[in-house]
Amino acid sequence: MEKNLDVLVSAEDIQKRIATLARQIQQDFSGRQLVVVGVLKGAFIFMADLVRHIKMPLACDFLRVSSYEKDQSTGVVRMDFDMTQPIAGKDVLLIEDIVDSGRTLSYLLKHLETKKPASLKVCSLLYKETGAQIKNRVDYIGFDIPNRYVVGYGLDSEGLYRSLPYVGAFKGS
Ligand code: IMP
């Protein structure tokens, strides 16, 4: 374990929660044409674990946005690259690592709605208690966490810590 981190969500708790979320998603999308869209880079580990628990045929795609520089939000969301397959008429599940201010999610929802999916739901591993008024747009939440900068399980600090199996926050933050 990293000495400079407090563990906020253990690897075991993440895996248990993912199994529960996957069961719920499977029930909700039963018999539908599901496209799971991961937001890179932060959601790659969460999405890889989640889709392996969803026991139904599904397609995976990715897009990449950025808004953070040196662990600070720039306030401007930029699309680095878009997904490749059409989603018109399909049921889309957007996978986020964390919702903080909600700016990224608002941007992505607007962007994906223009592609005319049959439905658009959102699953985020983490939801930060920042008072962002977007919680009602997040259909599946792994964990509510305090307003601290977190790393691990896909989330980074200046490119590092993504490969940790748990979510931690820097001590004293
Ligand atoms: P929002 O636009 O403020 O909701 O932030 C969403 C994006 O910012 C996430 O997808 C992450 O990439 C990044 N982010 C926000 N908070 C954190 C954090 O505590 N640790 C690592 N990345 C974060």
Side-chain angles (χ1 to χ4, degrees):
M1 197 195 311
E2 303 285 322
K3 285 201 189 85
N4 55 341
L5 295 177
D6 295 323
V7 177
L8 291 193
V9 191
S10 71
E12 196 189 348
D13 285 349
I14 292 174
Q15 294 306 321
K16 274 195 208 146
R17 184 77 185 119
I18 284 177
T20 306
L21 287 173
R23 268 198 303 277
Q24 220 177 312
I25 290 166
Q26 209 175 298
Q27 274 173 12
D28 295 352
F29 288 92
S30 162
R32 316 255 290 272
Q33 273 207 313
L34 181 59
V35 183
V36 182
V37 178
V39 184
L40 295 173
K41 297 178 191 172
F44 82 109
I45 292 181
F46 175 44
M47 177 162 157
D49 281 348
L50 184 71
V51 292
R52 281 180 290 178
H53 280 82
I54 303 174
K55 306 292 182 214
M56 59 183 271
L58 53 82
C60 294
D61 208 336
F62 297 91
L63 47 74
R64 178 169 160 175
V65 289
S66 46
S67 62
Y68 267 56
E69 275 170 24
K70 297 204 164 105
D71 300 351
Q72 296 290 324
S73 173
T74 60
V76 180
V77 184
R78 191 184 66 205
M79 171 79 62
D80 292 333
F81 59 78
D82 202 352
M83 48 191 300
T84 54
Q85 56 189 301
I87 51 167
K90 299 201 172 145
D91 293 299
V92 172
L93 180 63
L94 183 68
I95 309 291
E96 267 278 25
D97 53 353
I98 187 167
V99 177
D100 183 348
S101 70
R103 262 192 295 270
T104 305
L105 181 57
S106 299
Y107 172 93
L108 286 172
L109 289 172
K110 256 190 228 139
H111 174 72
L112 293 175
E113 289 290 7
T114 65
K115 296 174 186 278
K116 307 273 182 249
S119 69
L120 177 54
K121 291 202 168 183
V122 179
C123 175
S124 182
L125 174 69
L126 305 172
Y127 190 93
K128 230 190 239 188
E129 288 160 4
T130 53
Q133 299 300 307
I134 199 166
K135 200 166 190 179
N136 61 349
R137 268 314 264 119
V138 189
D139 303 278
Y140 308 94
I141 293 177
F143 302 91
D144 288 289
I145 59 159
N147 189 9
R148 297 175 69 183
Y149 195 83
V150 293
V151 294
Y153 203 70
L155 293 112
D156 77 309
S157 170
E158 300 195 32
L160 299 176
Y161 300 97
R162 290 193 199 275
S163 57
L164 296 176
Y166 58 88
V167 172
F170 291 109
K171 286 191 195 298
S173 72

